[in-house]
Every structure is written in C-alpha cells, then in structure tokens.
Amino acid sequence: MLITGVSGHLASWICKLALEEGKYQVYGSVRDATDDKRQKQLKEGFGKLYDDLTLVSLDLMDKESIEKAVEGMDYVISPASPLFPKDAKTEDDFVRPAVEGYINILEAAHKFNVKKIIYTGSVGSVLDYTKKGEYDCDETQFAPEDGIVYSYTKSKIMQEKETWKAYKKLADKGKCPEVVFILPAMMAGPIILKDTDSVVNMLKMLLHNKYGAMPPYYGGLCDVRESARMHIVALDKGRTGERYIISGDETVKFSDLGKILAKKYKKYGYKCTEKDVGCFGLWLFGLFDPFTKYMYKTRNRKINLVCTKAEKELGMKIPPYEETLTDMAESLIERGYVEDLR
C-alpha cells in the first residue's frame, strides 16, 4: 500500500495506524526520500514503526515519479496535494496543480492495475454558501466552483469533480481502480511529526491567540485519528464511486472550540480564542486578503453536516470535541509549538 505525503498532519496518522495494524506492507511517499532531515523527522515521529516503512520519492506533478511509486501497489491512499507555486497569482495557479496531481495518481494506478484508491477531499466541496439560511448537507451535494469560495476550496472542489470525470471515463472503457473520496471537516487532535504542515498554525490560534478572537465561521470538526482510521477502513468497506463526510455531529464556531480549551488552559495564562472578530474588521482586512474576504462572506453561516453514511458504512465514531482539543493542546505544548505555561 502506498500512502502519499506521509510528512503531512493527516497522512502521518494514516501511516502510523497502517503500520500498527500490520495488515499491509506500507510505502510512504515524500518529495525526496533521500532527504536526511525528512528521514530524521519521520524516525522521531514513528519510533520503531519507522523500520517497517519504505520511503519512496514522489512529486504529484511528475508522472514518472508517480509511476515508479505506484507500480506494484495493490492500494493507494492519497491525502497529499501538490505544493502551490510560490508565485501563484490566479485561481488557476492553485486549481491546476491540485487537479492534475490527483488525475496523475489515477492514471498511474490504472496503468499498473491498482485495486483501489482512497482520495482525501474536503468537506468544503459540499458546502454551498450561495444557499440562504441554515440547511443540512450530505454527500449528494456539490458546492459550485463559481459560488462563494476562495482559492483553496475551489481547488478541492475542482480536484474532486475532475477526478470523478476521469474515473468515469476509465471505468467506461473497462477495468479501472475502485475510487473512494473521504471528505474530512476541520481536523484537530495530536500531532505526530515536528515541522508538519500549516494546519498547526490554525490549531495554535485556538489555544494561544494574542488577539483572543477568530472569524465567526461555523464548521464541523473531526479528530485527525478517526479521519485517518476512516481512510484505512475505506479500503475494505468504502463503496467505489462514493464520498464520505467525516465530521462530528455539532457544527461550531472557532470561538466555541476556544471556549472548550479555555475551561482547562485559561487558568495557566493561555489566551484561548473565545471571541469572534467583528464584522467591520473582517470586511476591512478582506479588502486585502482573499481568505479573510471568504471568512467575511461566510460569517455566521451555519451548514449542518449529515454524516450518517460514514457512521453506517465505515463505522465512524467521532470522539467528544473536548477530548480531541485537549489531546491537540497537549501535543502542541509537548512539541514546543506553544510555550508551556503550566
């Protein structure tokens, strides 16, 4: 089994759980498997499990490297997305690499007779903010790419849509790998690797934020460990051609999560996010920053995620938010991302 991008927050958990299970011979990809710094990071994170991991080099924008990594695999789990170019200026600069990277994986898997691919999508691909008022949302819905989106969400919407199109074309021609998409909500929980991806910055803001406020954005929350487990379970139980939302039942704001953390950590001097940024401030900063503009347009919009499909078919069990957030906070402190004030 190949897991792409194993130095990422989610992928590192998928890799760890797969190694612990011992059912598969696990190959993990990074951009450069000969990178000593990356090897050290993974050794420290996985401990003795690292000895059972085979590292391979893979660049999602390099078809040759993908084919080398995919050849001989029965299964591929693909949480990784290509790195966005530093000089990206247009939405296409973000969308094109995301789309091409996933299709490159599909084509290589088809060429080498891979049995099944589990792709990581995003719950953002089902959230349609052009609809008015509060509503329930499940896997049957697709967010319009020309709706209220920003570059990242649009890249995930188009990544999934175009991958499904390519999959259906191959399936119509005959033998094709089975394909499943896992759509996680915002992920929290403990961190395995130091210097992991940018999700850490958002998690840090919840625990220790000098402004004490974040945008009034509603969203689902899932434990990264359960999201990882769902990717592995989907290898056996996920139905081909299906999507699965992974999230807790309750839709919450950042400040709701901060208040949960404040109950335990505020007494030590941590400035947890307990307040919402004001509407004017969001509007003002949104004039200069596309993401803040998106936060302004989606402020206080509550969309309830319906996750019964993953519960019934994959056995999803999201732990209480307090447990996930506490484990996250302890991990951030232990890893040195946040000062230990206790």
Side-chain angles (χ1 to χ4, degrees), residues 28 41 48 102 123 147 159 175-176 225 232 248 265 282 325:
Q41 176 200 33
K48 292 183 179 180
Y102 269 26
V123 76
Q159 182 184 60
K175 190 175 181 180
C176 180
R225 294 163 291 191
I232 296 172
Y265 294 96
L282 273 181
L325 292 169

Side-chain angles (χ1 to χ4, degrees), residues 45-171:
F46 292 137
K48 292 183 179 180
L49 291 172
Y50 180 80
D51 295 337
D52 297 323
L53 173 66
T54 302
L55 274 187
V56 296
S57 298
L58 185 151
D59 180 345
L60 287 173
M61 299 305 291
D62 181 347
K63 291 186 178 182
E64 183 178 350
S65 76
I66 292 173
E67 290 189 354
K68 285 182 180 180
V70 168
E71 187 175 6
M73 297 297 154
D74 291 319
Y75 304 99
V76 175
I77 299 180
S78 185
S81 277
L83 293 174
F84 294 133
K86 293 181 179 180
D87 59 348
K89 296 179 180 178
T90 67
E91 282 190 338
D92 185 62
D93 291 333
F94 291 90
V95 172
R96 184 180 55 79
V99 171
E100 290 183 6
Y102 269 26
I103 291 178
N104 288 342
I105 287 283
L106 177 63
E107 291 177 345
H110 178 256
K111 179 176 180 179
F112 293 108
N113 299 314
V114 169
K115 296 175 182 177
K116 197 169 192 175
I117 308 172
I118 310 297
Y119 283 113
T120 306
S122 167
V123 76
S125 65
V126 301
L127 301 176
D128 184 358
Y129 288 105
T130 63
K131 293 183 177 181
K132 302 298 182 182
E134 183 177 339
Y135 75 95
D136 294 342
C137 180
D138 64 16
E139 293 90 348
T140 62
Q141 302 174 53
F142 250 111
E145 62 268 21
D146 57 352
I148 300 175
V149 296
Y150 74 106
S151 53
Y152 174 75
T153 54
K154 184 170 184 177
S155 75
K156 297 304 290 184
I157 293 167
M158 295 306 299
Q159 182 184 60
E160 187 183 350
K161 282 187 174 181
E162 294 303 315
T163 301
W164 282 127
K165 287 181 183 178
Y167 160 73
K168 289 173 182 175
K169 286 182 181 179
L170 289 175

Side-chain angles (χ1 to χ4, degrees), residues 270-321:
Y270 289 102
K271 296 180 179 178
C272 304
T273 295
E274 297 184 78
K275 298 179 181 180
D276 298 330
V277 174
C279 183
F280 177 74
L282 273 181
W283 171 81
L284 183 63
F285 284 104
L287 296 176
F288 309 98
D289 178 65
F291 177 68
T292 306
K293 184 178 181 180
Y294 172 77
M295 290 282 103
Y296 172 73
K297 288 184 175 181
T298 58
R299 68 193 186 282
N300 294 316
R301 285 294 316 280
K302 193 172 185 180
I303 300 175
N304 302 306
L305 298 170
V306 179
C307 308
T308 52
K309 187 175 176 181
E311 291 170 349
K312 292 178 179 178
E313 297 186 18
L314 305 182
M316 181 184 75
K317 295 179 180 178
I318 300 294
Y321 288 174

Side-chain angles (χ1 to χ4, degrees), residues 24 39 69 144 147 150 156 204 209 229 233 279 307:
Y24 305 97
Q39 291 178 8
Y150 74 106
K156 297 304 290 184
K204 285 169 57 179
N209 178 354
R229 190 177 76 86
V233 171
C279 183
C307 308

Side-chain angles (χ1 to χ4, degrees), residues 166-319:
Y167 160 73
K168 289 173 182 175
K169 286 182 181 179
L170 289 175
D172 288 343
K173 294 179 180 178
K175 190 175 181 180
C176 180
E178 295 183 34
V179 170
V180 173
F181 262 86
I182 301 294
L183 310 179
M186 181 178 73
M187 284 179 285
I191 297 161
I192 293 178
L193 306 179
K194 290 184 178 180
D195 302 318
T196 192
D197 52 33
S198 60
V199 70
V200 170
N201 293 325
M202 184 277 297
L203 300 180
K204 285 169 57 179
M205 291 282 280
L206 290 173
L207 177 61
H208 197 45
N209 178 354
K210 65 180 179 179
Y211 302 108
M214 287 179 73
Y217 176 81
Y218 276 98
L221 182 75
C222 68
D223 191 298
V224 65
R225 294 163 291 191
E226 184 64 357
S227 180
R229 190 177 76 86
M230 291 297 92
H231 283 73
I232 296 172
V233 171
L235 289 172
D236 290 327
K237 297 184 177 180
R239 290 184 292 122
T240 188
E242 295 294 335
R243 317 160 78 202
Y244 296 91
I245 294 175
I246 309 300
S247 176
D249 292 333
E250 187 179 0
T251 303
V252 291
K253 291 192 290 186
F254 290 129
S255 58
D256 296 325
L257 302 177
K259 288 172 184 175
I260 293 174
L261 287 167
K263 290 178 182 179
K264 182 172 182 178
Y265 294 96
K266 190 175 182 178
K267 63 186 177 184
Y268 299 116
Y270 289 102
K271 296 180 179 178
C272 304
T273 295
E274 297 184 78
K275 298 179 181 180
D276 298 330
V277 174
C279 183
F280 177 74
L282 273 181
W283 171 81
L284 183 63
F285 284 104
L287 296 176
F288 309 98
D289 178 65
F291 177 68
T292 306
K293 184 178 181 180
Y294 172 77
M295 290 282 103
Y296 172 73
K297 288 184 175 181
T298 58
R299 68 193 186 282
N300 294 316
R301 285 294 316 280
K302 193 172 185 180
I303 300 175
N304 302 306
L305 298 170
V306 179
C307 308
T308 52
K309 187 175 176 181
E311 291 170 349
K312 292 178 179 178
E313 297 186 18
L314 305 182
M316 181 184 75
K317 295 179 180 178
I318 300 294

